[in-house]
Amino acid sequence: MWLIPIKSYPSPLNYNHFPKSVCTSVNEVICHGIPDKRVLLDGDIVNLDVTLYHEGYHGDLNETYYVGDRAKADPDTVRVTETARECLEEAIKLVKPGTLFREFGNVIEAHAKARNCSVIRTYVGHGINSVFHCPPNIPHYAKNKAVGECKPGMTFTIEPMIALGKYRDVTWPDNWTSTTIDGKKTAQFGKQVEVSHTNRNSHVCRAHPFGDRNRRGDLDGSKGGLSWRADPHAGGGQRHKLERHFVEDR
């Protein structure tokens, strides 16, 4: 585990008894999938949810990847995956002082419905800093009753989970793995954002999940994949830098 030499650790490990260092959610698994010996197959999609703790703070990121050519050739698989990606992008445009937390869900669900998809309601974005999960809660569905507004200095995640079928979910006996109630595929993209002190822009904290930043990630071994931007000050090729990107307020 390369996190240990750089004085970091994976936040999920032993968090409320979660047994692994990362969440891997395949196909109908919405979130919190526990890595196991199941082999990924051509046609699958898999979400990798990575959080690390470094120098007193947590950094949270997740993205969904296509597995092989069949996944990228299936219209429904592409629709749910790209809709989830687009929902996140639309929501990030709202990040600025004064935006009500409830507004993110309105934008996300409107886009999902336009693509004939549904929005999972059980799980929300969350505040994150020196604490892994804390206020505010960021629901991803419309007409929610979240209280509060964005203020400068706040850091939280936006991580919509989008489904091809019904939005209802089922939790497995392991008390972690959550799946769609109808077994249809679901995709998720999430980023950690920081509200800036001006109305002109906000920060997006991300860990460069695509080496070549392709529009579509894949896990077929030919391109893409999970990679982290090297920190030039770390030395020895240690890779842990969480960088900020400006997002213009349009």
Side-chain angles (χ1 to χ4, degrees):
M1 181 183 293
W2 61 264
L3 290 179
I4 302 303
I6 62 173
K7 299 180 180 179
S8 302
Y9 71 81
S11 303
L13 184 61
N14 294 323
Y15 178 78
N16 289 335
H17 306 292
F18 189 81
K20 299 293 183 177
S21 298
V22 64
C23 299
T24 56
S25 302
V26 181
N27 295 335
E28 77 277 12
V29 179
I30 298 167
C31 61
H32 303 155
I34 300 173
D36 57 22
K37 294 182 179 180
R38 179 193 183 281
V39 176
L40 292 175
L41 304 174
D42 191 0
D44 287 342
I45 52 176
V46 56
N47 178 272
L48 303 181
D49 192 344
V50 179
T51 307
L52 65 84
Y53 182 82
H54 180 67
E55 295 184 353
Y57 293 92
H58 296 271
D60 193 347
L61 169 76
N62 77 80
E63 297 208 10
T64 298
Y65 296 83
Y66 298 103
V67 181
D69 292 332
R70 289 186 180 180
K72 290 178 283 188
D74 179 69
D76 285 339
T77 297
V78 172
R79 174 162 58 90
V80 71
T81 303
E82 297 307 314
T83 297
R85 189 197 309 273
E86 294 159 4
C87 283
L88 174 62
E89 292 172 350
E90 291 301 310
I92 285 177
K93 294 177 183 178
L94 298 181
V95 179
K96 61 182 179 181
T99 297
L100 300 177
F101 297 139
R102 69 174 72 105
E103 285 302 316
F104 296 109
N106 294 333
V107 169
I108 289 168
E109 185 157 326
H111 188 78
K113 283 187 173 181
R115 299 291 302 274
N116 197 26
C117 293
S118 63
V119 180
I120 303 300
R121 300 189 177 189
T122 301
Y123 303 98
V124 299
H126 56 87
I128 182 169
N129 40 60
S130 59
V131 179
F132 191 178
H133 295 94
C134 61
N137 287 336
I138 310 295
H140 303 117
Y141 57 91
K143 298 181 181 179
N144 65 79
K145 298 181 180 180
V147 176
E149 65 181 43
C150 294
K151 295 182 179 180
M154 282 184 170
T155 54
F156 54 86
T157 67
I158 305 174
E159 41 190 317
M161 289 146 272
I162 307 300
L164 284 173
K166 298 179 180 180
Y167 68 82
R168 297 189 182 279
D169 60 281
V170 176
T171 301
W172 286 5
D174 61 23
N175 291 322
W176 279 106
T177 307
S178 178
T179 67
T180 54
I181 195 169
D182 54 13
K184 293 187 177 181
K185 284 182 177 178
T186 177
Q188 180 187 17
F189 287 81
K191 292 180 181 177
Q192 181 173 327
V193 300
E194 178 185 358
V195 183
S196 73
H197 289 270
T198 71
N199 289 334
R200 288 190 54 80
N201 47 53
S202 59
H203 293 110
V204 180
C205 305
R206 68 192 310 271
H208 303 277
F210 296 112
D212 56 8
R213 201 56 196 104
N214 284 328
R215 178 61 179 169
R216 297 177 183 175
D218 62 67
L219 290 179
D220 65 3
S222 62
K223 58 184 177 180
L226 187 66
S227 65
W228 293 63
R229 179 71 59 83
D231 179 355
H233 303 295
Q238 296 171 344
R239 300 176 294 175
H240 67 272
K241 183 69 171 180
L242 288 174
E243 297 189 353
R244 291 174 174 174
H245 286 232
F246 281 110
V247 178
E248 291 299 324
D249 171 28
R250 296 180 176 86

